[in-house]
């Protein structure tokens, strides 16, 4: 693998790495995406050509461990990639075999992802026993300017022979959701009602629908071959359709086959029925060179909006991360009703569900594509009624958002999960991670701070924040012995701890992260109650039946929630300090990689619930969400003193007791250590950067990239190392550049100002504000105020008074 500048290249063909390469070579435009699979190879143990449309789910029921289990999945849509070929040299009676990277005639293979232009180019060379060589160059794209289109161009070159290449290009609807091995015992057939056909103008089409959600999917394809040969026919089948071409080739005279595909669904807005819309789209689409040019221009415009200047290999990996973020959540996303899929549109892990990963994604988008952030928050607001119903079903008021969300906002978390190490299906209690509500409220607040969008904050945003606060107040029980409120029966970000040892009920009490963020949400809700304009406040309070007494109760809870401690450090939850210490050295010696410590211990008949061992950052997540001064302020509000020594002791405690079973953990640890133990931060920064590139989780990237971790690395540079905060109508800067990355630049939007340029050096910062009619930008560097007028630049040394 090489990554020079703006390209990402894999030399050679390795079936064992094919899944990883397919995921990392996915192409998308925010509306749909397709994995970088071989177009000439069918789905199977090696290749998995998945295509996924944002927010398109289907529900199915399976029998697992003698229980009926219902799951909702992001649907693997019909495959538009098929493009097979074989040669027929002049004078031979029969054509040769269908060729693919798995065929023994393969002599060379290369796959190059062009990040600047948003294209994937695959180059393959084949040679038969007679020395006749065929070289195939396939370029593809998922169009960023025309979000219903995708394109393939295949060029066939002959060396040492003359004859024809027979090409079979088409659409395949016989697909299943089989991209995750541990799900294969579950129902995987989400499509039904296939129809195929061909039009008089040569266009081929396929139409089907999802089994239970009833979404109609239609694909249409247009083909062009040059030079034209003899065979040219369309062959509709029961679940697919293909076009057969015969194109002449000879040394120095290659042949080209172009394929333009349109994908439409019944979820599309302002469109005709899906099939007529798809056919119309391929008919009006310009020729492939013009499509390539307009696609390149769209990407050029995007890269200008999200510029990130970081040197070296770190910069190249960050560019790859940004590329995949933009393919999943592009400006087209702003017109869709979708959330943040934890694994992008790159695979089927987590069933395409929406978790709390937006907590790591929106802070970056807020400063580049705030209209996309707004749409992602609107997804949550549309599902507020479902969150209210969930709270009522749990005997509470307010809104209880699901840990896993899909199409309609109900809880999609599995109640069973498979341990591949033991082969046992086990109860899954992760639905008790109610802190997802705090993440949504946090994102509402951060979006407003960065964008200044009071119209959203005072309407949809306020309604969500107030209902989430109401849920936390209803979840807090008064403990007279402690003279504190307590939140019981939850699971924190750690996830490996879902109950007390040998307890007959799941859940933990007083998870510190949950309680502290709940107090923060209650405080922000009270701020809103005070600052909402009367024209907004009165109808909202009446609609929510929000009384003065209830708001007083919120204030009481916000100041008296319990935060447990043990041995001078913040406890992850009440009773954490009484758990046994794990023999970390012993387990690493026996198993090597202990990231999935939960599976290791369960296979031994043990449980992580017995030990002080965490999957990922939990308490330390507080240092990710809040600056040191903000965090100390929240603790002071609760009646606790959190000084630098206490926080360092807490960081050190969990640093040695976390196995990093989530890619998000390295991001958080890099962020926190950049402020506390800078010398150790780069180790975690490197792990976060290479998490998917090197597949550090051991095979999980093939199931879909980790979007939260990718966005988290971008935000680590943008906000973590710059200390950039958007609060109190100002930019707050507190740089903490690492020795390995001490000079870099970011460009971002802040409120009405576009393309603000921030340059960080080891001893200074430079802030440049483009010319405009807007007011000067107010900023603070480590507490020192300054302003930068539009059209000017300001350099400030760290040593300046």
């Amino acid at each position: 693998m090489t990554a020079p500048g703006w390209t990402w290249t894999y030399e050679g063909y390795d079936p064992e790495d094919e899944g990883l390469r397919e995921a990392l070579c996915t192409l998308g435009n925010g509306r749909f995406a397709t994995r970088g699979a071989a177009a000439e190879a069918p789905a199977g143990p090696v290749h998995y050509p998945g295509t996924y449309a944002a927010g398109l789910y289907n529900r199915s029921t399976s029998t697992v461990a003698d229980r009926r289990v219902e799951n909702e999945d992001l649907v693997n849509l019909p495959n538009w990639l098929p493009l097979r070929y074989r040669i027929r040299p002049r004078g031979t009676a029969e054509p040769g075999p269908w060729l693919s990277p798995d065929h023994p005639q393969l002599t060379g293979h290369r796959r190059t992802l062009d990040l600047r232009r948003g294209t994937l180019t695959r180059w393959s060379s084949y040679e038969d026993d007679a020395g006749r060589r065929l070289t195939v160059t396939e370029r593809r794209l998922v169009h960023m300017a025309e979000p219903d289109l995708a394109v393939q161009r295949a060029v066939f070159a002959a060396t040492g022979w003359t004859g024809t290449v027979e090409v079979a290009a088409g659409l395949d609807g016989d697909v299943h959701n089989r991209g995750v091995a541990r799900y294969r015992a579950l129902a995987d057939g989400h499509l039904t009602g296939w129809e195929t056909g061909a039009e008089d103008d040569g266009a081929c089409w396929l139409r089907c629908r999802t089994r239970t959600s009833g979404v109609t999917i239609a694909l249409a394809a247009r083909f062009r071959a040059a030079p034209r040969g003899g065979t040219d026919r369309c062959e509709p089948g029961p679940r697919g359709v293909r076009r057969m071409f015969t194109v002449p080739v000879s040394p120095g005279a290659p042949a080209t086959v172009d394929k333009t595909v349109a994908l439409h669904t019944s979820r599309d807005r302002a469109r005709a029925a899906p099939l007529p819309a798809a056919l119309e789209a391929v008919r009006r689409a310009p020729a492939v060179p013009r499509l390539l040019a307009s696609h390149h221009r769209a990407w050029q415009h995007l890269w200008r909006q999200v510029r990130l200047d970081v040197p070296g290999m770190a910069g190249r990996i960050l560019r790859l991360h940004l590329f995949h973020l933009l393919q999943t959540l592009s400006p087209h996303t702003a017109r869709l009703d979708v959330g943040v899929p934890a694994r992008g549109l790159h695979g089927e892990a987590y069933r395409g569900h929406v978790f709390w990963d937006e907590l790591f994604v929106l802070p970056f988008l807020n400063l580049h594509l705030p209209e996309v952030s707004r749409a992602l928050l609107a997804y949550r607001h549309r599902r507020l009624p479902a969150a209210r119903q969930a709270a009522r079903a749990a005997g509470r008021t307010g809104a209880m958002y699901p840990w896993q969300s899909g199409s309609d906002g109900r809880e999609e978390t599995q109640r069973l999960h498979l341990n591949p190490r033991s082969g046992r299906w086990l109860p899954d209690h992760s639905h008790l991670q109610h802190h997802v509500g705090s993440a949504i409220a946090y994102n509402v607040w951060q979006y407003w701070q960065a964008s200044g969008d009071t119209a959203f904050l005072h309407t949809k945003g306020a309604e969500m924040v107030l209902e989430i606060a109401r849920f936390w107040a209803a979840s807090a029980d008064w403990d007279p012995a402690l003279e504190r409120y307590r939140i019981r029966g939850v699971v924190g970000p750690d996830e490996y701890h879902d109950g007390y040892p040998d307890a007959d009920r799941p859940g933990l009490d007083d998870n510190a992260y949950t309680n502290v963020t709940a107090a923060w949400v209650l405080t922000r809700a009270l701020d809103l109650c005070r600052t909402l304009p009367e024209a907004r406040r009165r109808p909202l309070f009446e609609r929510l039946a929000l009384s003065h007494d209830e708001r007083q109760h919120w204030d009481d809870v916000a100041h008296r929630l319990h935060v447990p401690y043990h041995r001078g450090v913040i406890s992850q939850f009440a009773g954490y300090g009484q758990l046994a210490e794990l023999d970390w050295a012993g387990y690493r010696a026996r198993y090597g990689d202990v990231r999935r410590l939960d599976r290791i211990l369960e296979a031994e008949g043990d449980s992580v619930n017995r030990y002080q061992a965490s999957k990922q950052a939990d308490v330390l997540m507080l240092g990710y969400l809040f600056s040191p001064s903000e965090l100390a302020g929240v603790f002071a509000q609760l009646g606790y003193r959190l000084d630098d020594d206490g926080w360092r002791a807490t960081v050190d405690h969990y640093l040695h007791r976390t196995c990093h079973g989530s890619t998000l953990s390295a991001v958080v640890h890099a962020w926190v250590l950049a402020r506390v133990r800078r010398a150790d931060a780069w180790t975690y920064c490197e792990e976060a950067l290479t998490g998917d590139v090197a597949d550090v989780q051991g095979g999980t990237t093939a199931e879909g990239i980790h979007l939260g971790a990718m966005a988290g690395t971008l935000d680590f540079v943008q906000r973590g190392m710059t200390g950039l905060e958007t609060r109190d109508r100002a930019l707050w800067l507190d740089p903490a550049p690492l020795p390995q990355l001490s000079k870099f630049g970011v460009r971002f939007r802040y409120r009405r100002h576009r393309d603000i340029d921030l340059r960080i050096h080891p001893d200074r910062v430079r802030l440049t504000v483009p010319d405009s009619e807007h007011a000067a930008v107010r900023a603070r560097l480590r507490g020192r105020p300054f302003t930068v007028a539009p059209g000017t630049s300001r350099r400030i040394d760290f040593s300046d008074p």
Side-chain angles (χ1 to χ4, degrees):
M1 181 270 292
T2 57
W6 285 82
T7 60
W8 202 261
T9 299
Y10 293 100
E11 292 281 356
Y13 174 66
D14 185 348
E16 292 187 3
D17 281 346
E18 187 67 6
L20 171 67
R21 297 177 181 184
E22 287 179 357
L24 289 177
C25 290
T26 294
L27 296 178
N29 58 22
R31 182 174 172 270
F32 76 97
T34 298
R35 289 165 59 87
E40 60 273 25
V46 175
H47 306 282
Y48 195 73
T51 291
Y52 311 95
L56 204 163
Y57 296 96
N58 187 67
R59 198 173 298 279
S60 60
T61 302
S62 310
T63 301
V64 177
D66 298 322
R67 293 172 57 180
R68 288 179 65 79
V69 177
E70 185 179 277
N71 291 297
E72 187 176 65
D73 293 81
L74 187 69
V75 178
N76 183 16
L77 300 181
N79 178 20
W80 62 272
L81 290 177
L83 199 155
R84 304 179 69 194
Y85 44 83
R86 57 186 178 181
I87 70 170
R88 186 172 182 174
R90 182 181 298 169
T92 59
E94 299 292 335
W98 293 105
L99 298 174
S100 75
D102 304 289
H103 197 279
Q105 290 183 5
L106 182 77
T107 58
H109 187 72
R110 181 170 61 249
R111 180 169 14 203
T112 299
L113 184 66
D114 187 331
L115 306 180
R116 189 191 300 273
R117 296 176 177 83
T119 58
L120 176 65
T121 301
R122 297 176 57 252
W123 176 89
S124 303
S125 179
Y126 303 89
E127 187 170 334
D128 64 15
D129 293 340
R132 294 174 293 220
R133 179 172 296 177
L134 175 72
T135 301
V136 184
T137 304
E138 181 223 344
R139 180 182 293 182
R140 71 177 69 153
L141 61 90
V142 174
H143 211 284
M144 185 56 81
E146 301 287 343
D148 51 352
L149 294 182
V151 174
Q152 284 173 292
R153 164 167 280 193
V155 179
F156 302 94
T159 302
W161 64 282
T162 297
T164 59
V165 176
E166 184 177 349
V167 179
L171 308 169
D172 180 15
D174 191 13
V175 298
H176 298 78
N177 274 52
R178 293 176 179 167
V180 179
R182 60 190 175 278
Y183 298 167
R184 289 176 188 163
L186 308 177
D188 59 17
H190 295 291
L191 301 179
T192 189
W194 297 268
E195 300 173 85
T196 63
E199 300 296 295
D200 293 340
D201 61 2
C204 298
W205 56 267
L206 180 154
R207 176 169 57 191
C208 58
R209 68 180 185 276
T210 54
R211 288 183 180 273
T212 57
S213 56
V215 179
T216 300
I217 301 118
L219 291 89
R222 184 192 71 192
F223 307 90
R224 296 285 187 275
R228 293 191 176 186
T231 302
D232 187 350
R233 67 180 184 273
C234 188
E235 298 180 351
R239 297 190 180 186
V241 59
R242 67 179 184 175
R243 189 80 174 271
M244 302 294 295
F245 297 93
T246 301
V247 290
V249 293
S250 60
T256 300
V257 172
D258 288 342
K259 177 181 174 185
T260 302
V261 177
L263 186 157
H264 279 273
T265 79
S266 55
R267 297 180 74 247
D268 297 342
R269 298 177 178 179
R271 301 285 189 180
L275 182 55
L279 287 167
E280 175 62 22
V282 296
R283 286 167 178 154
R284 64 172 170 75
V288 167
R290 287 180 58 193
L291 285 171
L292 279 165
S294 59
H295 175 70
H296 294 167
R297 285 194 299 271
W299 269 105
Q300 185 180 34
H301 178 67
L302 260 182
W303 285 118
R304 282 199 299 266
Q305 293 184 73
V306 294
R307 184 172 173 180
L308 198 68
D309 295 327
V310 177
M313 181 55 74
R316 293 169 184 165
I317 296 175
L318 285 165
R319 195 174 291 133
L320 177 72
H321 290 183
L322 183 49
F323 178 74
H324 285 301
L325 176 64
L326 294 173
Q327 292 194 121
T328 307
L329 303 169
S330 79
H332 300 298
T333 308
R335 296 188 288 272
L336 304 177
D337 177 32
V338 298
V340 177
R343 305 299 283 271
L345 298 174
H346 297 61
E348 294 161 15
Y350 301 159
R351 306 182 182 281
H353 290 165
V354 177
F355 293 69
W356 71 327
D357 298 68
E358 62 207 60
L359 188 62
F360 298 85
V361 173
L362 264 64
F364 182 83
L365 293 178
N366 290 342
L367 294 168
H368 298 279
L369 298 169
E371 64 278 6
V372 177
S373 293
R374 194 181 208 269
L376 297 170
L377 291 169
Y379 164 89
R380 292 295 194 179
H381 183 262
R382 293 186 192 100
R383 285 146 187 83
L384 182 57
R388 287 177 172 133
Q389 176 57 37
R392 287 195 295 270
R396 302 176 193 175
T397 55
M400 185 175 80
Y401 276 94
W403 177 237
Q404 296 189 34
S405 180
S407 61
D408 59 13
R410 76 181 77 175
E411 179 61 78
E412 300 293 352
T413 303
Q414 299 177 76
R415 295 309 170 104
L416 294 173
H417 68 269
L418 174 68
N419 180 357
R421 188 177 287 270
S422 69
R424 287 189 285 266
W425 288 89
L426 307 165
D428 188 330
H429 301 303
S430 57
H431 65 278
L432 296 176
Q433 292 190 73
H434 301 319
H435 60 81
V436 66
S438 294
I440 294 167
Y442 181 88
N443 280 328
V444 168
W445 201 259
Q446 291 295 319
Y447 165 72
W448 167 66
Q449 294 272 28
S451 68
D453 187 356
T454 55
F456 183 87
L457 179 69
H458 290 168
T459 53
K460 296 174 182 177
E463 189 174 12
M464 285 190 286
V465 172
L466 266 57
E467 287 289 71
I468 293 165
R470 174 175 268 170
F471 171 77
W472 284 131
S475 301
D477 297 326
W478 177 252
D479 186 332
L482 286 175
E483 294 188 338
R484 288 273 179 179
Y485 289 97
R486 309 185 67 185
I487 297 176
R488 306 175 190 268
V490 301
V491 171
D494 165 27
E495 293 188 318
Y496 281 178
H497 288 92
D498 62 0
Y500 290 101
D502 305 318
D504 56 1
R505 298 180 65 183
L508 304 160
D509 299 338
D510 300 315
N511 173 254
Y513 174 82
T514 299
N515 285 15
V516 172
T517 56
W520 182 88
V521 172
L522 286 161
T523 304
R524 299 289 78 77
L526 291 166
D527 289 344
L528 278 170
C529 289
R530 287 188 292 268
T531 59
L532 277 172
E534 179 64 20
R536 300 286 192 187
R537 181 169 58 243
R538 180 178 296 178
L540 181 58
F541 282 14
E542 289 177 355
R543 188 166 70 252
L544 300 183
L546 183 58
S547 68
H548 175 73
D549 288 346
E550 185 175 4
R551 299 198 300 275
Q552 281 191 318
H553 177 60
W554 292 6
D555 187 68
D556 194 38
V557 175
H559 286 82
R560 303 175 76 178
L561 270 168
H562 179 49
V563 178
Y565 278 77
H566 70 281
R567 295 189 292 279
V569 303
I570 304 167
S571 296
Q572 186 169 300
F573 50 82
Y576 177 90
Q578 282 72 57
L579 299 180
E581 292 284 5
L582 184 77
D583 179 9
W584 290 94
Y587 272 91
R588 288 193 171 101
R590 290 163 59 190
Y591 293 100
D593 188 349
V594 296
R595 295 175 192 274
R596 290 314 306 256
L597 185 63
D598 60 331
R599 293 176 177 175
I600 291 172
L601 290 174
E602 192 279 328
E604 292 183 346
D606 205 345
S607 170
V608 183
N609 285 334
R610 291 166 41 83
Y611 301 98
Q612 294 183 38
S614 300
K615 174 183 180 181
Q616 60 186 319
D618 191 300
V619 174
L620 301 195
M621 273 294 302
L622 296 171
Y624 172 79
L625 294 187
F626 306 114
S627 66
S629 62
E630 276 191 295
L631 185 57
V634 178
F635 271 74
Q637 170 189 306
L638 290 168
Y640 299 97
R641 183 171 182 268
L642 182 64
D643 57 19
D644 290 345
D645 290 340
W647 180 243
R648 286 194 184 94
T650 298
V651 171
D652 287 342
H653 181 86
Y654 291 103
L655 192 62
H656 297 100
R657 292 167 176 82
T658 304
C659 64
H660 308 291
S662 165
T663 55
L664 297 173
S665 191
V667 173
V668 175
H669 279 75
W671 189 292
V672 171
L673 291 175
R675 302 282 162 184
V676 176
R677 288 174 52 178
R678 190 170 301 178
D680 298 326
W682 185 249
T683 298
Y684 293 96
C685 183
E686 277 193 310
E687 179 170 328
L689 285 169
T690 60
D692 277 324
V693 172
D695 196 12
V696 299
Q697 295 287 331
T700 63
T701 302
E703 303 168 351
I705 55 97
H706 297 81
L707 192 67
M710 284 189 171
T713 62
L714 299 169
D715 198 36
F716 174 68
V717 174
Q718 176 177 266
R719 293 193 309 132
M721 288 198 295
T722 64
L724 175 62
E725 297 178 77
T726 54
R727 57 185 172 96
D728 302 332
R729 299 180 182 274
L731 296 175
W732 295 64
L733 298 170
D734 185 12
L738 303 180
Q740 299 86 347
L741 197 59
S742 60
K743 183 179 178 181
F744 59 91
V746 297
R747 178 178 291 174
F748 59 90
R749 287 169 64 176
Y750 173 62
R751 298 188 174 238
R752 296 185 178 184
H753 296 277
R754 293 175 177 265
D755 297 335
I756 294 176
D757 195 65
L758 174 63
R759 299 282 156 173
I760 302 294
H761 297 264
D763 57 352
R764 67 186 185 277
V765 302
R766 180 178 292 276
L767 192 66
T768 303
V769 178
D771 192 23
S772 72
E773 72 280 10
H774 304 304
V777 172
R778 296 171 55 237
R780 286 178 173 268
L781 176 62
R782 295 177 175 169
R784 305 194 306 272
F786 65 97
T787 60
V788 184
T792 68
S793 181
R794 183 84 179 265
R795 166 182 160 166
I796 302 180
D797 294 336
F798 295 158
S799 59
D800 287 350

